[in-house]
Each structure stands twice: as structure tokens, then as C-alpha cells.
Amino acid sequence: MGQVMIWQWGILILSSIIFFLISPLAKNTGDFFRATGDKGKTPGLVLLTSSLVISWIFAKSIANAANLGQEFGFVGGMAYAMYYLSFLVAGLVIYQLRTKGGFTSIHEFLRTKFGKSAVLVFSLLIGLRLFNEVWSNTMVIGTYFGAKDSMPYFVAVLVFTVLTLAYVMKGGLKSSLLTDMIQMALFGILLFIILCVLIPKEEGNVNKFISSGDWKLSTGLNLLFTAFIQVFSYPFHDPVLTDRGFITDPKTTLKSYMLATIIGFLCILLFSFVGIYAGFHQIEGEAAVAVSRTLGVGLMLVMNFIMITSAASTLDSTFTSFSKLVVVDLGNLKKVTVSRGRMVMVLGCVAGTLPVFFSPEILSATTISGTMVMGLAPVFICWNQKVPKAAFHGSVGIGVVAGLLLALGWIPENLIFFEGKYGDLFSVNIIGLAGCFFVFFMAKWWMKNDK
């Protein structure tokens, strides 16, 4: 195992050095915050689609997909893949915001329609999301280098985070998009290799994987239906996804989001086969890590490379989005500079890494935060409705309260309608989303009758 560890460290360090060397140096704020090329050229379809997909195929998401496949079979993989319909929802809404509303960013839309207070609340929500993305992805990388909370684990987390920070500080969003395209290609190749090894090992091949699991609420459908509910709000609290909706022309953007829906859904679903394989063979532990250790040194290193690739793509995108949020969206536009952007990246890196030392659960970064932002659904799905500013705060407030009650375990038993794992999550999301839309349109009714 000592030689394997040397190879793993080599992959981690060498890949980061290569990404640093090929990353373009951002010479101005257009390069750093909007990824404009020479003469203001914007990213094309392939570049944008690759970046969307790989920046959302987190190491965290891959680990969750594998673990859910291990626990629930094909149903578990479908449940997590359902979150990737977020691309479709976000793409359609952003297209309308740009073409019919004339808005140039999410923050401009909120500021124009709901005021500065809405921008502040929204920024706190997406700041929490970005904060979660740092620790939840770097923790996955740490598990490939040592047991959780061990010294090798913490060292790997810190080294990986710093190396990723280095190359994205060099080029900002322009650097992130370029490396995303390379990372997407590598991920696709490596996933293909893994599947070509695992699937032939089972009698019945693909059919055995697809027929695994039970289509019952208690065995995965609770989470699948929850994910479907959350896709109407979940994408809008992730600036990694929404920032990319405003950097090229609307038609190219919409096509990219449509393609990303299909590619992202399939990638996550196929990766859940790793967990399904673990279930077949009763392999215990974190599915992706445990399976990789049964496949020999070569494939173990391939799995390691997949995780490093996916985690780096998400982490560099997180740093660029956090920098844009603080410097551009919330800052003084007259004081926007590349140096400020880089400084904010460092601060975000430090703050986002600290939770690693308190051993949080990575799946909670998705499910709980997704519940807390359900109030964004009526705000964006019904973006062209004339409502008072209170509609935003009422709807978002309902979602935040629901998410906090769920996280604290304070949901009354008589409000949990479904049995089995994630039954409480599904119940809260149904009640909460209904409450959010009710409050949103009650505010509209109140405005109409108050005149």
C-alpha cells in the first residue's frame, strides 16, 4: 500500500501542477470574473457545457451516488441523478430572465424586483452553499489518502485545497472553464474504464444493475421524489451553476443547459453502478473507496483520479463564484479588481476548509440545504408575476424555517407521512413547498386587495 500511496500523491500533485501551467493568466477583470477571451470572445457551446457538467459532478455527488446505489440499488442512483434536472429548470428560467426580462444576472433581477434586502438574504443562502461545497468535496479526497480524521486524511485535504486554489487564482473563471473541459474529458474516459471492468463481472451484465433495488418509498423513492421537488428551487442557490448562465449569448446558454441535463443525469446514474456492484458483493464502507480497493492497484488509481478530477473542477468553480459574489455582486463596481478577487478566494478557502475538522456528513450538504432554499421556487419559477417585496421574504422564510426544523429533528411525527429513510425529508419538502407558494401568492392577493 505504500507504493500505491506514492502513486496517489503523485497523481494529486502532478495533475495540479499541470492545471496551473496550462491555466491562462487573468490580465483583467473580464478574464477573471466573466472568462472573456481575446477581443471579448465568450465561451462556446462545448466549453460551457463541459464546465456546467463537470462542475456539478462533485466528488461529493459521485460519493453520494455510489453510496445510494450501494444502499438502494438502481433506485438510489436514479434518486440522486434526479437532481440533475436542475440544469433544465435553471436553463429555461435564466433564458427567460435574459430574453424577456432583460436581466444580466440573478442579483440584478432580485435587486430590481425585490430590493436590496432580498439580495442580502439571497447572498447569505448562496454563501452557505459555497461554504458547504468546499468542505464536502475535499473531505471525499481525504478518504482516499487515509482514514477519516487521521493525519494523512487532513494533510491530503489541505494539500489538495491549496493546489487547486493556486491554479484558479491564476486565471479566475477563465482558468476554471478551461480546466473544466479537460477534467470533463478525463472523467468520461475514466468512468468508461471503470464500467468496462465492473459490468462484465456480473451475470446478466447491465440488466442486473438496472433491475437492482425495490421501487418503494422506503427503499429510495422518498429521496427520488424529494429531489424532483427540490429541482425547482435547488439550482438557484448555486452560483456555480447560475453564473455560467450569463456569460455567453442566450441561445448558446440554453443549448448548453439542455445538453448538461442529459449528460449530467447519465454520468451520475452510471457512476451509481459502482455502489450497486458494492451491494452485490456486500462490500462495506464508502462504496467508491471500498470498491476501488478490490479492483487492483491500476483501477484503484483510476478511481482516485476520477475523484481528484471531479473535486478539483467543483472546488475551482466554487472559489470563482465566491469571489464574484463578494467582489462583483455585493461589492462596489468601481472597486472591482483582480487582486480583490484573488484575496477573497483565499478567505473563502480558509473558511470553507475549517468544517473538515469537525467531521460533518457530506450528504447533508445537499439534502438539508436543498430544503432550506425551497422558498426560491416561486420566486424564480413565477419570476414575471407582480408581487410585493414581502412575497420573497415570506416564501424564502418558510423554506429556511422548514430546513432548520428538519436539521434539528424538530418535525412533529404527525407531519411525517411516509415511512422509511428520507420519509421525513419528503414530508417536509411537500408541506414546505406548498407553504412557500401559498405565502407567495397570498402576498400577491394582499397587494391586489390593498389598493
Side-chain angles (χ1 to χ4, degrees), residues 93 96-97 100-101 103 109 113-114 378-387 440-441 444:
V93 171
Q96 292 181 46
L97 286 175
K100 295 182 179 180
F103 299 108
F109 159 66
K113 187 159 186 174
F114 299 106
V379 172
F380 287 98
I381 300 301
C382 307
W383 69 272
N384 59 348
Q385 293 289 316
K386 293 182 179 180
V387 294
F440 187 84
F441 283 101
K444 179 180 180 179

Side-chain angles (χ1 to χ4, degrees), residues 4-26:
V4 173
M5 192 60 64
I6 291 173
W7 274 103
Q8 290 187 168
W9 277 108
I11 290 172
L12 172 60
I13 295 172
L14 182 61
S15 61
S16 298
I17 291 174
I18 292 173
F19 288 145
F20 181 84
L21 293 175
I22 66 175
S23 294
L25 177 65

